Amino acid sequence: LDEKQKQDIEQKAKNIANREIKRDDRLFACYDQYNRIKESMITISDLENFKNIEAEDIESLNKKLYDFVGVDGKYMPFTKSVTIKINNEKLKDIEIIDTPGINDPITSREERTKELLKHCDVILVVSPAWQFLSNEDIELLDRISTKEGIKEIYIIASKIDTELFGNEKEKNNATLPEVIKSIKQIL
């Protein structure tokens, strides 16, 4: 084969492999994560510095955590989970897992979410008020409501303050308790 034929065959093989990878969510998630790790140029020894992160307040903690859990975070591809410890006796023996959720732009994190849901007793599904219980939310509820071990599911409308304006405000004479009551009924 001449060089052009070799390149054509290699390109066709890559295209077939890419199509196959995209058909399998778990395989694609691994492939995506592998590429992100490779592109980061970060070594395992670089990560040793971050076994424990301390912060004085929530804002500084958020800034530090972005590198590990933000979509464009420097160490995000390496982060399997983050454990935050709070010195509060009332929270003893309670573990809260905040997952990226479904439809995360990072495929591997969505797969991690699906895996973690299998081990939960109680699940809080947070859905933004402006598209409350989207098709994705309904599909998730259908999937998790049939799982063994899950004892309770709570559905929470987030960012409800974005709905306090416009029609509902006008229909309820701008009375906050009435507007909230109306929004709850709609949701």
Side-chain angles (χ1 to χ4, degrees), residues 149-185:
I150 296 174
K151 296 175 182 145
E152 298 176 58
I153 299 173
Y154 294 89
I155 303 169
I156 300 166
S158 68
K159 301 179 183 178
I160 195 168
D161 54 316
T162 62
E163 303 299 304
L164 296 177
F165 307 100
N167 291 342
E168 292 310 310
K169 180 180 173 186
E170 292 168 16
K171 284 194 296 190
N172 293 286
N173 301 320
T175 307
L176 186 59
E178 292 301 314
V179 173
I180 291 174
K181 182 179 175 183
S182 178
I183 291 169
K184 282 182 180 181
Q185 289 175 343

Side-chain angles (χ1 to χ4, degrees), residues 80-105:
K80 180 177 179 182
S81 66
V82 174
T83 302
I84 299 175
K85 296 182 180 183
I86 299 173
N87 191 14
N88 184 328
E89 189 62 30
K90 293 178 183 176
L91 299 176
K92 185 180 178 188
D93 299 326
I94 295 176
E95 183 177 3
I96 299 171
I97 301 171
D98 181 10
T99 68
I102 54 173
N103 294 327
D104 191 85

Side-chain angles (χ1 to χ4, degrees), residues 8-152:
D8 287 346
I9 290 171
E10 284 180 16
Q11 188 57 49
K12 286 179 183 176
K14 285 180 183 178
N15 292 343
I16 291 169
N18 282 331
R19 274 196 308 271
E20 288 301 313
I21 284 173
K22 289 177 182 173
R23 286 184 187 169
D24 182 334
D25 289 342
R26 292 183 68 100
L27 186 59
F28 183 72
C30 292
Y31 177 72
D32 179 55
Q33 188 167 5
Y34 165 78
N35 282 330
R36 290 173 186 272
I37 289 170
K38 193 167 90 175
E39 291 167 7
S40 76
M41 307 290 281
I42 294 171
T43 66
I44 297 296
S45 60
D46 293 334
L47 299 173
E48 290 294 321
N49 299 323
F50 302 107
K51 284 189 175 183
N52 293 305
I53 299 171
E54 293 185 18
E56 294 298 317
D57 56 46
I58 194 72
E59 284 143 19
S60 61
L61 179 62
N62 281 339
K63 287 177 186 174
K64 290 179 179 185
L65 285 178
Y66 184 83
D67 275 343
F68 297 90
V69 298
V71 171
D72 298 319
K74 185 176 181 179
Y75 306 108
M76 183 278 302
F78 300 92
T79 306
K80 180 177 179 182
S81 66
V82 174
T83 302
I84 299 175
K85 296 182 180 183
I86 299 173
N87 191 14
N88 184 328
E89 189 62 30
K90 293 178 183 176
L91 299 176
K92 185 180 178 188
D93 299 326
I94 295 176
E95 183 177 3
I96 299 171
I97 301 171
D98 181 10
T99 68
I102 54 173
N103 294 327
D104 191 85
I106 311 300
T107 311
S108 59
R109 294 195 317 189
E110 182 174 341
E111 286 303 310
R112 177 80 177 130
T113 296
K114 291 176 184 176
E115 187 62 33
L116 285 168
L117 289 176
K118 297 175 185 175
H119 306 287
C120 295
D121 297 321
V122 177
I123 295 179
L124 308 175
V125 176
V126 181
S127 182
W130 66 85
Q131 63 178 54
F132 191 65
L133 291 180
S134 65
N135 287 338
E136 290 84 8
D137 293 335
I138 300 294
E139 287 173 22
L140 174 66
L141 287 169
D142 185 48
R143 266 188 279 156
I144 62 178
S145 64
T146 59
K147 298 279 185 207
E148 291 181 35
I150 296 174
K151 296 175 182 145
E152 298 176 58

